[in-house]
Amino acid sequence: MANDTNKFQAIISHCKEYGFIFPSSEIYDGLSAVYDYGQWGSELKKNIKDYWWKSMTQMHENIVGIDAAIFMHPTTWKASGHVDNFSDPMIDNKDSKKRYRVDHLIEGYAEELKAKGDTQNAEAVLAEMDAFLAKDDFEGLKKLIEDHKIKCAISGTSNWTDVRQFNLMFSTEFGSTVSSDGEDNKVYLRPETAQGIFVNFLNVQKTGRMKIPFGIAQIGKAFRNEIVARQFIFRMREFEQMEMQFFIRPGSQKQWYEFWKEERMKWHLSLGIVKEKYRFHDHVKLAHYADAACDIEYDFPIGFKEVEGIHSRTDFDLRNHQEYSKKKMQYFDNDLDENGKPYGNYIPYVIETSIGLDRTVLMILSEAYTEEDLSTEERKDNRVVLKFPPKLAPIKLAILPLVKKDGLPEIAREIMNDCKFSFRCFYEEKDTIGKRYRRMDALGTPFCITIDHQTKEDNTVTIRYRDTMQQERVHINTIKAIVEKLIS
Ligand code: GAP
């Protein structure tokens, strides 16, 4: 691998070539920052979803899942603060007309300084930017850009507009929706799944007889009109989130914030990724709803970047929904406090864990993508192998008859029929066995079995392990148990 940018490009090409991820509506030249998952990408994504869902709900007795609609009453987004606050400071280059997120523009400049070895200056620029962002000091940000003569990548000039806020929500028309003041209202495509949980807080709490502390989890699409939307599926305009809101007693938020930081990091490590590839990043500028927040960052081929956010959201959302909807969002807590009195009625505080599904797909792909040089003295050879954790691999078992005759396909089909109810299998009889193995390596299939003439004599097959490429003979009756043990 020459460098990490090359690795990133290689992953993008690999995803397209092997049916993982395609640009959206590609026959019309694609749609910027929108992607489609192909046959193997969607299996991978689904396996990640299932793994998250099970670890959050099945493994936590006090967390349940819901599936709320994407469209929500427009007042939701006024109450949540998104109409007024879900915006980023932007700046336009007057010559190229290209619009940039100010933090991305300055971060890009800092990266250039670092690449030139000027780390000290880069850190100083970033620290100044953080200070201006924390104070919403737009003049300061513009001056910082001008003082450093930061240029537009397209026009090459430093001819900038003032810094302004730009709302990131998409909106559309919703025929019959009428707001409380009688005006037709636009509806938004949700920019986060969290609000679907907040507006259902009482429904779930009452019908599920949930006692605080408890959580509500959800997986679903979210939409943001991202300005700088490049870097493949890292930053998309339509993406999926896996979010969990954990409802707690006011005053206990520090303790639960630390709990969920630790718990979520454990989940990441359970993917088989070493801890050196992760780090926490505390937010300097807090979102409008948070009193503490951090990101879990993963070391992507494009550098350390956010995969998941953990936010202490106080009672901001429930309190605002109570105010806008005029419906009580309170919980009655009959547990006793230290003075022996019931805690009584209160609006719960919330700790949120919010992980991007597409970013997790990219993380798993980045971790799995491996180019191996297998050359020997006699011949040059190499392979690309996706070393997915077996539990996440799109295909678990490839079933390969050595030849298309002599009754071998029939035995292979029998094995397929036996295993396909338990996990995803793939049957293939075309091409040489070597080519078929390499193709399965490129799809990340952890196990291949080959049915050959010896199978007819002693009911054994060759099982080949993806990562070591080692092979051994096993009895047909043991295949299912071997695979099931290794994917569980
Ligand atoms: N409910 C809180 C919330 O939405 P966020 O930090 O804005 O917080 C949470 O988003 C996660 O969603 C991020 O950590 C990231 O993984 C993912 N995400 C956010 N914007 C994204 C985008 N444009 N494309 C892909 N994933 C995105």
Side-chain angles (χ1 to χ4, degrees), residues 203-261:
N203 282 338
V204 175
Q205 190 270 318
K206 292 210 161 105
T207 57
R209 300 197 297 164
M210 309 297 288
K211 259 182 81 92
I212 270 180
F214 74 91
I216 305 178
Q218 170 163 230
I219 300 177
K221 290 267 185 179
F223 304 83
R224 294 183 189 177
N225 198 0
E226 298 283 4
I227 296 305
V228 184
R230 40 188 156 80
Q231 299 169 324
F232 193 38
I233 55 168
F234 181 80
R235 195 177 304 285
M236 301 155 86
R237 296 204 164 99
E238 174 182 340
F239 57 99
E240 259 180 283
Q241 290 185 315
M242 306 190 285
E243 298 202 299
M244 192 277 302
Q245 312 296 322
F246 198 69
F247 299 93
I248 55 172
R249 244 172 234 150
S252 64
Q253 65 268 34
K254 273 211 173 79
Q255 166 209 335
W256 284 112
Y257 178 63
E258 292 306 324
F259 172 87
W260 279 109
K261 272 176 76 172

Side-chain angles (χ1 to χ4, degrees), residues 383-401:
R383 69 167 182 163
V384 172
V385 51
L386 297 183
K387 296 187 173 178
F388 292 131
K391 62 190 170 219
L392 300 182
I395 303 166
K396 310 297 188 209
L397 178 68
I399 300 171
L400 316 171

Side-chain angles (χ1 to χ4, degrees), residues 276-319:
E276 289 71 26
K277 297 291 277 291
Y278 289 109
R279 70 182 186 196
F280 282 110
H281 169 78
D282 291 323
H283 286 201
V284 180
K285 184 178 187 313
L286 292 170
H288 58 272
Y289 49 73
D291 74 353
C294 68
D295 299 331
I296 294 179
E297 294 186 338
Y298 166 77
D299 190 7
F300 287 97
I302 46 175
F304 268 102
K305 301 221 176 273
E306 172 187 354
V307 194
E308 172 155 10
I310 297 159
H311 311 125
S312 172
R313 290 183 83 127
T314 67
D315 60 356
F316 177 89
D317 303 87
L318 290 181
R319 185 170 290 285

Side-chain angles (χ1 to χ4, degrees), residues 132-193:
F132 287 135
L133 282 173
K135 288 185 287 180
D136 277 336
D137 183 345
F138 294 169
E139 280 175 24
L141 286 166
K142 182 168 182 196
K143 192 162 174 314
L144 183 68
I145 291 169
E146 286 175 341
D147 287 352
H148 287 270
K149 300 192 173 51
I150 298 178
K151 293 191 172 61
C152 164
I154 293 170
S155 66
T157 68
S158 309
N159 191 10
W160 298 107
T161 62
D162 287 341
V163 174
R164 284 165 310 187
Q165 293 283 34
F166 182 85
N167 197 294
L168 300 181
M169 280 196 293
F170 284 104
S171 62
T172 185
E173 299 296 315
F174 201 78
S176 59
T177 307
V178 173
S179 69
S180 49
D181 53 13
E183 274 181 33
D184 271 346
N185 229 327
K186 57 182 170 189
V187 288
Y188 296 98
L189 298 187
R190 65 181 179 197
E192 62 170 9
T193 58

